[in-house]
Amino acid sequence: MDGLVPAIHVFLSRFPGDATASSDLRPLEVDPTPAGVYPSPMPRFYFDDLTLGRAFPLPPHAVTREEIIAFAREFDPQPFHLGDGGNGLSDGLTASGWHTCAIFMRALCDGLLLDSACLGSPGIDFLRWLRPVRPGDTLAATATVIETRLSKSRPDRGIVRFRHDVVNQGSEPVLVMENPILFLARPAP
Amino acid sequence: MSTAFERITIGVPRIIGAHTFTAGEIKRFASAWDPQRFHMDEAEAEASSFGALAASGWHTASAMMRLLVDTFARDAAEALARGEKPVVHGPSPGFEALKWSRPVFAGDTITYTATVTAKRLSKSRPGWGIVTTDIAGTNQKGEAVFAMTAQAFARTDGG
């Protein structure tokens, strides 16, 4: 694939609960860290670690019919996301594109962000829904660093632009996007 | 008589609805799809760059989609009441320039506006057109919090 560099990184999965569990351990006195500094004790990935070309394979997700319908009932109740009638361009039940985004985001959290000094994201440069997602599909994503830029005005942080690719169990692309994410730089020792 | 696709109006902003993001709802969405601490816990959020519990950007976008779908349904009912065929909406190939320009905090009410900026016939799919829509979300102080430029298929021969 264009622009993708093979991953040299050994992926270490983490449970999503790990990142929030630290809140129980925080001291009660006022935290002296300035606003904007991520409070996590020693996240694994800072801006400095997210180097150009580094690729993060994210944990896969199996999509169920029940999950497709539940997401659609709340956020995208179009008939082709609730039942088997199709939409004139695809047959049968298909997931809301926003559901596919949500599945991707959870994978990005579990595979990278929850163990990082992430400060949030200003947006998505572009996103393409390339193929329908159906019940029984298993989605797997890779987040690849395509640009990094340390902030000139605030050198304690930088923007990392990713290309995110989501494929189904047949390795067919279902979603691609480019997305800048803000991370703290690794604090000086 | 014009078709439903031909009647889609370009350049006129429409309010598609407003949504209030409660703390409970923000945490429920985040626990399923985006469990970063600033979307999950008030104290952690206060210590973060957000400064207060903030909705996942995907939650802000998904809430917009619900209002858009509800608007499509109202439009369809009104078209039928006028004796016209409604627009038949299809899937979306994607979007550009999505901006989460400010956090959406617990208690914020976001009003979303949709403006169709272009429509054209699909080259690859006969009977379908592609509608381009700018969507904007504004909080109760009038500050922009969300924007995107979306494409979506709509039938051109449906009525």
Side-chain angles (χ1 to χ4, degrees):
Chain A
M1 273 189 271
D2 287 347
L4 292 191
V5 175
I8 51 166
H9 165 64
V10 178
F11 173 67
L12 294 174
S13 137
R14 277 177 55 103
F15 293 101
D18 288 358
T20 47
S22 62
S23 63
D24 304 331
L25 305 173
R26 286 205 309 156
L28 288 175
E29 64 263 26
V30 174
D31 189 336
T33 44
V37 172
Y38 203 72
S40 169
M42 302 301 291
R44 181 175 162 85
F45 300 108
Y46 287 91
F47 172 79
D48 314 64
D49 303 300
L50 301 164
T51 47
L52 190 64
R54 191 163 183 180
F56 293 84
L58 307 176
H61 179 87
V63 185
T64 66
R65 179 181 180 86
E66 292 69 31
E67 184 185 288
I68 288 175
I69 292 170
F71 188 97
R73 277 208 182 111
E74 187 165 6
F75 295 112
D76 193 353
Q78 300 186 82
F80 41 93
H81 300 320
L82 296 168
D84 293 315
N87 61 23
L89 289 171
S90 303
D91 294 332
L93 180 68
T94 52
S96 167
W98 296 109
H99 185 192
T100 311
C101 290
I103 290 168
F104 163 77
M105 188 63 201
R106 180 57 192 253
L108 187 66
C109 284
D110 292 345
L112 172 62
L113 296 183
L114 295 185
D115 203 4
S116 79
C118 172
L119 297 171
S121 165
I124 308 293
D125 296 339
F126 74 86
L127 181 147
R128 291 283 173 275
W129 289 295
L130 300 167
R131 270 186 186 75
V133 171
R134 303 177 189 285
D137 280 356
T138 296
L139 302 183
T142 306
T144 307
V145 176
I146 57 171
E147 186 185 347
T148 68
R149 190 157 36 86
L150 196 65
S151 169
K152 288 194 184 79
S153 56
R154 303 186 72 172
D156 67 334
R157 64 197 58 196
I159 286 271
V160 178
R161 213 153 65 83
F162 289 90
R163 174 184 160 122
H164 303 306
D165 292 276
V166 183
V167 300
N168 63 21
Q169 65 284 358
S171 301
E172 297 169 316
V174 300
L175 185 154
V176 61
M177 70 173 114
E178 290 186 8
N179 163 224
I181 303 179
L182 197 58
F183 293 89
L184 270 187
R186 189 176 285 283
Chain B
M1 190 173 150
S2 60
T3 65
F5 186 78
E6 286 164 350
R7 287 191 295 272
I8 294 173
T9 312
I10 290 175
V12 180
R14 286 184 70 193
I15 292 175
I16 59 169
H19 184 81
T20 301
F21 290 77
T22 66
E25 191 188 338
I26 286 172
K27 292 181 200 176
R28 188 168 61 84
F29 186 97
S31 67
W33 306 115
D34 190 356
Q36 298 184 82
R37 60 190 67 208
F38 35 70
H39 302 319
M40 293 280 285
D41 180 276
E42 280 88 350
E44 294 276 8
E46 281 164 27
S48 79
S49 53
F50 287 87
L53 186 70
S56 167
W58 298 108
H59 189 182
T60 316
S62 298
M64 177 282 295
M65 189 66 206
R66 176 56 192 258
L67 295 172
L68 195 60
V69 172
D70 291 349
T71 300
F72 289 166
R74 278 197 306 275
D75 285 353
E78 287 167 19
L80 290 169
R82 289 193 301 269
E84 295 170 352
K85 286 186 180 172
V87 177
V88 177
H89 295 276
S92 163
F95 59 79
E96 281 89 44
L98 187 152
K99 294 187 177 74
W100 292 302
S101 37
R102 266 189 194 76
V104 171
F105 294 117
D108 278 359
T109 298
I110 308 305
T111 301
Y112 295 92
T113 303
T115 310
V116 174
T117 58
K119 56 180 177 175
R120 63 179 174 84
L121 301 183
S122 167
K123 292 186 192 82
S124 57
R125 299 173 191 278
W128 290 88
I130 295 175
V131 180
T132 304
T133 306
D134 280 351
I135 295 167
T138 307
N139 67 19
Q140 65 280 1
K141 297 176 198 163
E143 298 166 326
V145 299
F146 178 83
M148 66 185 290
T149 298
Q151 278 86 41
F153 285 103
R155 296 288 306 186
T156 52
D157 55 1

